[in-house]
Amino acid sequence: MLERSKCMNVPEIRFKEFCDYYSDVLLEKCLSVSNKKNNKLEYKKEDALSVSDEFGVVNQIEHLGRSYTGNNISTYKILNKGQIVYTKSPLKLKPFGIIKVNNNKPGIVSVLYAIYDVKEGFEPNYISVYFEPNFRLNRYLLPLINKGAKNTINISDETALSGEVHIPLSYAEQQKIASYFQSLDSLIQTTSKELTSLKQIKAASLQSMFPQEGETVPEVRFKGFEGEWNFSILKDFSKKITEKNRNRLYKETFTNSAELGVVSQRTYFDHDISNNENINGYYVIHPDDFVYNPRISVTAPVGPINRNLLNKTGIMSPLYCIFSVNNINKTYLEYFFKTNLWHKYIYINGNAGARFDRLSITDENFFNMPILTPSTEEQQKIASYFCNLDKQISLQTQRLEKLKQIKAACLDKMFV
């Protein structure tokens, strides 16, 4: 690809073999309305389609597990392969709806959708990707809505074609751009599936590699290890941190997030939430210290316990319980707290606080929490396994984010 200076009707980034100016074309020159109905019941409920921003046109049963059609599917519109479909209904992240090409099997869609045939000389996948960014679809439709319709739902299928688009008239260039984004989408979907698979493996491993309630031996174990695990009490290898931030020695406040672990408030909230005048009463948390956040959530039904992996010292609210540990593999303990094996104990021994979203548990009860532990060698083996798994998850997460950033940049710079 070549980068070009931004000027009218020439994209900033373009494949090097193309150099013609882009043309201003009425969309009705590219598309025509299709109103073919399923009045002969050519298609059944099993053929109902939905339009997803992430996955495009999908079969409802295959993708969603069921058909959402009404009883009278004879009024539904037929959507053939290669046709464009426009979902007019506003969505939270797509307030002007979604435009996609059907690259899969034909089927039927609700009459609320607009369906278009693509005229000769225009690539349907180019039209789809052209309208993918929110800003471009919004910019195109807003003047049309202002002409009369109150919103996209009320805009007629024909009126939706009356705006102007800026496209290369070279069919070869349209195809090359469309093919590039299809390859990019394929990479994104593959990476996303790999990431999902790794997260599922981790969730299954947390379930199977620790003994479940009433058991002292895990379902899955590394070769060479046998025998029952031992019950310990948290206070046997931990100590509560009560060091106050005297003279406001430390300024950076940490928070304990169920999803992200121990993070700086500046990162999590974009600024410090704590009052700088009162932080001398906050507790000091050092690297590798653990912290219990009594705030409950969907992902942390009794509150999360996480380890400070920031490699720096900070301070935390007195609402948190901070403790250090010794004579146990810290990484093993970190992953033990990612299971739900300790949840029942906290739930039974804690009480709902003044706020409905917090649990209250005494220090005595908290540090009497039973912890299942195998030998030191097995702790290390389990810790290494989960560390390696998390590294793979992190790498795939970074790769997915990078691919999405590349796509977003290309959607902006490869179009006019």
Side-chain angles (χ1 to χ4, degrees), residues 68-253:
Y68 289 86
T69 61
N71 292 325
N72 186 12
I73 59 173
S74 64
T75 61
Y76 274 57
K77 293 180 179 180
I78 294 176
L79 176 61
N80 290 309
K81 186 174 182 177
Q83 288 184 312
I84 295 285
V85 58
Y86 171 38
T87 69
K88 301 179 185 181
S89 300
L91 304 172
K92 185 176 182 180
L93 297 179
K94 293 281 186 174
F96 282 72
I98 302 171
I99 293 177
K100 293 289 182 180
V101 61
N102 180 20
N103 285 315
N104 299 309
K105 296 183 295 185
I108 52 175
V109 294
S110 164
V111 294
L112 295 176
Y113 293 178
I115 299 175
Y116 301 101
D117 290 312
V118 182
K119 295 182 179 180
E120 186 177 354
F122 297 97
E123 166 58 48
N125 286 289
Y126 177 88
I127 301 293
S128 177
V129 75
Y130 176 88
F131 283 117
E132 186 167 336
N134 262 349
F135 74 89
R136 191 174 292 121
L137 181 59
N138 298 359
R139 185 178 64 193
Y140 171 84
L141 284 169
L142 192 58
L144 307 182
I145 295 172
N146 288 340
K147 287 180 179 179
K150 293 180 180 179
N151 51 45
T152 53
I153 294 176
N154 294 322
I155 192 172
S156 71
D157 297 358
E158 291 77 11
T159 302
L161 297 179
S162 61
E164 199 171 63
V165 292
H166 316 289
I167 65 174
L169 290 183
S170 166
Y171 184 65
E173 186 170 7
Q174 293 178 34
Q175 281 188 314
K176 190 145 189 177
I177 293 171
S179 178
Y180 171 76
F181 279 97
Q182 284 177 311
S183 297
L184 200 51
D185 280 339
S186 179
L187 277 174
I188 289 172
Q189 288 185 16
T190 299
T191 305
S192 181
K193 287 178 181 178
E194 289 174 355
L195 179 58
T196 299
S197 178
L198 286 169
K199 289 180 176 180
Q200 290 172 343
I201 290 171
K202 180 180 177 181
S205 297
L206 287 170
Q207 178 77 15
S208 62
M209 293 178 67
F210 293 86
Q212 297 304 296
E213 184 179 359
E215 303 290 335
T216 56
V217 176
E219 181 183 349
V220 175
R221 204 167 190 179
F222 290 105
K223 187 177 180 180
F225 296 102
E226 56 185 23
E228 295 184 328
W229 289 23
N230 298 315
F231 275 104
S232 301
I233 303 298
L234 181 59
K235 68 181 180 182
D236 292 341
F237 51 82
S238 71
K239 179 182 178 181
K240 183 177 180 180
I241 301 296
T242 57
E243 178 186 357
K244 294 291 185 69
N245 186 33
R246 302 300 180 192
N247 302 317
R248 296 200 290 271
L249 179 62
Y250 299 102
K251 300 292 193 297
E252 189 171 6
T253 306

Side-chain angles (χ1 to χ4, degrees), residues 10-29:
V10 175
E12 189 173 342
I13 297 177
R14 198 173 193 184
F15 292 104
K16 62 182 180 180
E17 62 265 40
F18 303 105
C19 58
D20 293 337
Y21 286 101
Y22 276 35
S23 299
D24 299 334
V25 179
L26 290 175
L27 192 55
E28 63 189 19
K29 299 293 184 181

Side-chain angles (χ1 to χ4, degrees), residues 179-381:
S179 178
Y180 171 76
F181 279 97
Q182 284 177 311
S183 297
L184 200 51
D185 280 339
S186 179
L187 277 174
I188 289 172
Q189 288 185 16
T190 299
T191 305
S192 181
K193 287 178 181 178
E194 289 174 355
L195 179 58
T196 299
S197 178
L198 286 169
K199 289 180 176 180
Q200 290 172 343
I201 290 171
K202 180 180 177 181
S205 297
L206 287 170
Q207 178 77 15
S208 62
M209 293 178 67
F210 293 86
Q212 297 304 296
E213 184 179 359
E215 303 290 335
T216 56
V217 176
E219 181 183 349
V220 175
R221 204 167 190 179
F222 290 105
K223 187 177 180 180
F225 296 102
E226 56 185 23
E228 295 184 328
W229 289 23
N230 298 315
F231 275 104
S232 301
I233 303 298
L234 181 59
K235 68 181 180 182
D236 292 341
F237 51 82
S238 71
K239 179 182 178 181
K240 183 177 180 180
I241 301 296
T242 57
E243 178 186 357
K244 294 291 185 69
N245 186 33
R246 302 300 180 192
N247 302 317
R248 296 200 290 271
L249 179 62
Y250 299 102
K251 300 292 193 297
E252 189 171 6
T253 306
F254 297 166
T255 192
N256 185 9
S257 160
E259 292 79 18
L260 301 177
V262 177
V263 293
S264 170
Q265 281 190 356
R266 296 170 191 169
T267 302
Y268 193 67
F269 298 106
D270 293 327
H271 62 282
D272 284 327
I273 301 298
S274 55
N275 187 334
N276 193 51
E277 298 300 318
N278 297 327
I279 60 173
N280 60 329
Y282 277 37
Y283 289 128
V284 176
I285 178 169
H286 296 282
D288 285 332
D289 285 346
F290 286 77
V291 56
Y292 170 55
N293 179 0
R295 184 170 184 175
I296 62 178
S297 64
V298 174
T299 54
V302 296
I305 297 177
N306 284 303
R307 179 181 169 198
N308 176 15
L309 299 174
L310 297 177
N311 293 320
K312 57 183 176 180
T313 300
I315 53 174
M316 299 194 81
S317 164
L319 293 174
Y320 295 158
C321 177
I322 304 168
F323 57 97
S324 60
V325 301
N326 51 60
N327 298 324
I328 190 172
N329 186 295
K330 294 177 181 178
T331 306
Y332 165 81
L333 186 62
E334 177 189 345
Y335 284 103
F336 174 84
F337 285 131
K338 294 184 187 297
T339 73
N340 61 3
L341 297 174
W342 54 281
H343 289 185
K344 185 176 181 180
Y345 176 86
I346 296 291
Y347 184 78
I348 291 173
N349 291 277
N351 299 300
R355 292 175 53 175
F356 71 92
D357 61 345
R358 291 187 186 277
L359 280 176
S360 175
I361 186 169
T362 64
D363 287 348
E364 181 180 4
N365 282 339
F366 181 80
F367 286 99
N368 278 326
M369 183 195 311
I371 308 289
L372 271 169
T373 56
S375 67
T376 301
E377 294 77 12
E378 192 169 3
Q379 289 179 38
Q380 180 59 50
K381 195 80 172 178

